[in-house]
Amino acid sequence: MGLFSFLQKDLAIDLGTANSLVYVRGKGIVVREPSVVAMYQGNSVLAVGIEARRMAGKTPANITIVRPLRDGVIADFDITEKMLRYFIGKAISDQGFFRMGPRVLVGIPVGVTEVEKRAVLDAALHAGAKEASLIEEPMAAAIGAGLPVVEATGSLVVDLGGGTSEVAVISMKGMVATKSIRIGGDEMNEVILQYVRKHYSLMIGERTAEDIKINIGCAYPMSEVRVHAVSGRDLVSGLPKSITVDSEEIRQAISEPVTAILDAIKICLEMTPPELSADIYDRGIMLTGGGALLTGLDRFLCDALGVPVLVAEDPLSCVALGAGKVLDNLDTLRQVLALSKRA
């Protein structure tokens, strides 16, 4: 291996609507931060990631908190480029003065347009990557979850992100059937926010709605109802106010997006050949992504579909780990993937 090969870094990036992860070949995941940027007076970056997330809902008028990715795709190209530059720089900071532009593999949702693919590639290149390629997130998630993607057997993976939920049946190195919907954790946060506003006349922020979802959100009735204190601004008096919500009412509030995820899985199963359907019935469905952590979702889907449902060991990291495995075994696994033409 020559000097320049040694200095070359290979990165896998899970560029998520809610969180972004960066995997460095040979090191593992080295960056795990929210996909959030704090902008000062709309044109200069004040903070990125964790620091920017801490500022959400607490900034003066001259500081804006931006989430440059929506529904799994780039909504603001310039800010996405700045965010990527920060994450890439943080991942390869140990190279110092001799740092070379890395080769980057970026996860993208299934079914994105050619324009959206080009936007991701361009953002990576403008952020300092020497080369950029794409991998579809359900395939990366399946590899990261340890599913046998190269075998002649059917595996069904459901990757539940902040902006999208993606379902894919994988067999013999390819995706046989796919279904993607632009509904995910963000949609659940929004319906919780609207529920609290409608039933309690209380205005809360997105972070508070997410805290409710994480602490007491559930997709299946719990044996013991849990409660959570919520503070916000009373819409009637305009004064600070605190209420208590329970897990059962939050379950009902998020039932619509949860049902939409179930319907997407059903559609994908309807497109699956009978032989692969039999494999899925025996092997079960694998849940990955942050949405997989929703309490009772596996049991809800199992009861509704009559198929075993499993949650990946580390669902938040599956896409990054899967893309990282591709980097670690690039010569042997390249044929498994629907990689885009290298930029």
Side-chain angles (χ1 to χ4, degrees), residues 194-323:
Q194 295 299 332
Y195 177 87
V196 172
R197 177 172 182 158
K198 179 180 178 181
H199 289 81
Y200 294 97
S201 297
L202 187 71
M203 176 69 76
I204 62 172
E206 186 178 329
R207 284 191 62 183
T208 301
E210 185 169 19
D211 287 342
I212 295 171
K213 180 185 69 178
I214 292 171
N215 285 290
I216 62 170
C218 60
Y220 195 87
M222 302 175 68
S223 57
E224 181 179 345
V225 175
R226 292 185 293 182
V227 297
H228 184 74
V230 182
S231 298
R233 176 166 55 85
D234 192 307
L235 290 171
V236 178
S237 67
L239 301 175
K241 177 182 174 182
S242 182
I243 62 163
T244 300
V245 294
D246 64 53
S247 55
E248 183 59 23
E249 57 184 323
I250 298 304
R251 181 184 70 82
Q252 295 174 13
I254 64 173
S255 62
E256 187 172 339
V258 168
T259 300
I261 293 168
L262 170 63
D263 291 341
I265 298 173
K266 287 180 178 178
I267 291 171
C268 193
L269 286 171
E270 289 170 359
M271 297 187 290
T272 304
E275 291 80 3
L276 296 182
S277 294
D279 292 337
I280 293 168
Y281 182 82
D282 292 335
R283 302 176 65 89
I285 296 170
M286 180 66 72
L287 302 183
T288 67
L293 297 174
L294 181 66
T295 302
L297 181 60
D298 52 345
R299 188 171 177 184
F300 170 79
L301 295 175
C302 180
D303 283 2
L305 298 169
V307 178
V309 178
L310 308 172
V311 177
E313 183 177 345
D314 185 3
L316 289 168
S317 305
C318 282
V319 171
L321 290 173

Side-chain angles (χ1 to χ4, degrees), residues 110-172:
V110 169
V112 297
T113 66
E114 291 301 317
V115 172
E116 290 167 338
K117 289 180 182 179
R118 187 72 247 173
V120 174
L121 289 171
D122 287 346
L125 293 171
H126 281 89
K130 180 182 178 182
E131 301 175 18
S133 298
L134 306 177
I135 178 174
E136 289 171 315
E137 289 172 351
M139 177 64 81
I143 295 171
L147 296 179
V149 298
V150 301
E151 297 179 9
T153 184
S155 299
L156 194 155
V157 61
V158 182
D159 186 40
L160 304 166
T164 60
S165 294
E166 302 181 283
V167 189
V169 175
I170 299 171
S171 178
M172 295 184 65

Side-chain angles (χ1 to χ4, degrees), residues 37-70:
V37 180
M39 301 294 294
Y40 180 70
Q41 294 184 341
N43 53 24
S44 62
V45 175
L46 181 63
V48 179
I50 295 173
E51 289 301 318
R53 175 65 187 272
R54 288 173 180 161
M55 300 179 186
K58 303 177 181 179
T59 60
N62 59 352
I63 298 176
T64 307
I65 306 300
V66 181
R67 294 180 60 187
L69 295 149
R70 287 290 176 183

